[in-house]
Amino acid sequence: MVATEVASRLKQYQRPARILLIEAGPDVSGNSDILHFSSLNFIGGKFDWGYKSAPQKSYDGRQIDIPSGRALGGGSVINGCGWFRGSRADYDSWGEVVGDQRWSYDGQLPYFKKTEKWYNSLNPESHGIDGKLQIESPISVGRIYPLANTIEQAWEEFGVHKLPGNDFNAGANIGFGELNENRAQGARQIAPFAYSLDGVTVLTDTMVASILVDKNNKATGVRLADGTEIHSDQVIASAGAYRTPQLLMLSGIGPKEVLEKHGIEVKVDIPGVGQNLNDHIMVYLNWKLKNPSKGYALGSSNAIFAEPRFATGTPLSYIASTEVPRPDLEAAIAKDEGKVDPNHYLLRREWAMMENIVMYLAIPPVGTDGTHISTAQMGLKPTSRGAVTIVSKNPADNPVIDPNYFATEVDKSVWRHSLRKIASFMTGNTVLGRDIVECETPFPGFAPLSVDASDEYLDSRVKAHGMSTFHGCGTCAMGTVVDTDLRVKGVQNLRVVDASVLPISIGAHIQAAVYALAEQSATIISQDKAA
Ligand SMILES: Cc1cc2nc3c(=O)[nH]c(=O)nc-3n(C[C@H](O)[C@H](O)[C@H](O)COP(=O)(O)OP(=O)(O)OC[C@H]3O[C@@H](n4cnc5c(N)ncnc54)[C@H](O)[C@@H]3O)c2cc1C
């Protein structure tokens, strides 16, 4: 994703520059199938690297599917198009961690705005209107789902309030707001549609095997998988959070002991390469409707779902993010760290800790037959950290991806609290519980979720159903592996720009952060006199 955006911007900012973009996957710009909601089915398809995680210790060894885009435009070809910025607190923490205010919320706001062609003029201080990515909401394109007002009422009854302007993307995210998507009238905008590659030379179906690093630790180009060497003044690695650390390691940049183990000459020993992997856990739950004949869910006989606009975009209206009680957080931090440091970053600011979405369709194994709706919950600020490493020096071998999900007490405590909350929201004293939802339909072998479920039961649900939200990041973290100008420490003429540089867990689906990162990075690189 980033590679397209950065190449496009650099060509725009430095017209005479010769830029080569190398992508392992195909160019799918001519493939109209990828544009619509059902195109999420490309997960597991030919534009997905289709990784499996290492066996997860806290999931009793279960391995998790880790999809990752493999095409020009990367993840933008298979992602869900959800557009979520996260909160001011996320970026202020980022700026603090790296000691550079360009990466704080105010530092990044101009670049967020630069990415966006926002769909209304309500909040001009927070949104751009002439950016490359069309952002819309279901309501703005007339996708008013039958349950939309009910969900809104239910959140208000539950004490979760609408954000000003119904805007989930203006720096505050505790509350609820409209879903936003980077779609144009429901159609996916892949990165090379939004960011023109005119004037950029593009090599698709071409795998980079390693970065050429000379004896002065200067990057001088790349070696392709077929052995061809291509020389250049600057190299930017944007192979994503799983393959960028692999590429660095295969080039002799990474933890010394890993490189030596695989017989790779050590150019620069950077222990942080591959570390700090973080992803958001997602848990889906199905909820049986009291009266399916009302036509609330996809698959029902409600004629509205046959209208063309309902065949595009994700079938939901609102996103709600909720906190957890501070004493719970302190107790969990004490268990993880042996003490509670009042300066702990989770205690210094107010955080939305769980994203909650009600979707108007069932999730497998329940069929889309109109009898169920579902919820998706995503832990926003996990403290579990994993790693990416290599199994060999062969670039064709997949990296080993170990997100180490659900490893900390903080993460467990957040999930326990939030699963009880969703049970209460869906089946308790809200309009949903009173009039719409019968009960949870659990996966085989489990009892329906209830507000008084035990910690052990709730943990078992996450262990059994927790999946990736496809947000792997942090494996070449800014401050550790790259400096705040995106330069790999100890190597000249080499930068990393992609999700791997995010130094902290962003409390949101990460593409908005990654697109803004790429905008700012392109500006930094184009202003670098040495570049
Ligand atoms: C299924 C799925 C759904 C998602 N849904 C959402 C969502 O709704 N909202 C949201 O905010 N985020 C979502 N994301 C996350 C978002 O798409 C990613 O965070 C984003 O794509 C990361 O961008 P990137 O440039 O870092 O890496 P990528 O987009 O993964 O790009 C890396 C590119 O490098 C190529 N590459 C890798 N190795 C090599 C090599 N050795 N040689 C040449 N090329 C190579 C890859 O093929 C790929 O095209 C989703 C991701 C997935 C996978």
Side-chain angles (χ1 to χ4, degrees), residues 487-498:
R487 289 192 204 90
V488 175
K489 293 184 174 185
V491 188
Q492 295 174 63
N493 299 354
L494 176 61
R495 283 186 158 94
V496 172
V497 188
D498 60 23

Side-chain angles (χ1 to χ4, degrees), residues 220-257:
T220 60
V222 295
R223 180 177 294 110
L224 304 182
D226 68 3
T228 309
E229 291 191 359
I230 300 177
H231 293 273
S232 64
D233 294 337
Q234 300 285 326
V235 177
I236 303 171
S238 302
Y242 310 122
R243 291 264 172 190
T244 289
Q246 178 193 37
L247 201 51
L248 294 190
M249 289 186 224
L250 297 182
S251 314
I253 304 161
K256 185 168 174 278
E257 61 288 0

Side-chain angles (χ1 to χ4, degrees), residues 452-488:
D452 49 14
S454 69
D455 287 355
E456 293 68 31
Y457 171 80
L458 296 169
D459 290 355
S460 74
R461 296 297 301 265
V462 180
K463 280 183 188 184
H465 319 318
M467 52 181 280
S468 169
T469 320
F470 327 130
H471 296 159
C473 61
T475 49
C476 295
M478 186 182 286
T480 310
V481 176
V482 300
D483 66 18
T484 56
D485 284 337
L486 295 313
R487 289 192 204 90
V488 175

Side-chain angles (χ1 to χ4, degrees), residues 1-2 23-24 49 69 71 74-75 79-82 208 470 498-499 509-511:
M1 206 167 84
V2 162
E23 164 57 47
W49 286 94
N79 76 17
C81 305
V208 175
F470 327 130
D498 60 23
H509 304 247
I510 62 172
Q511 68 163 345

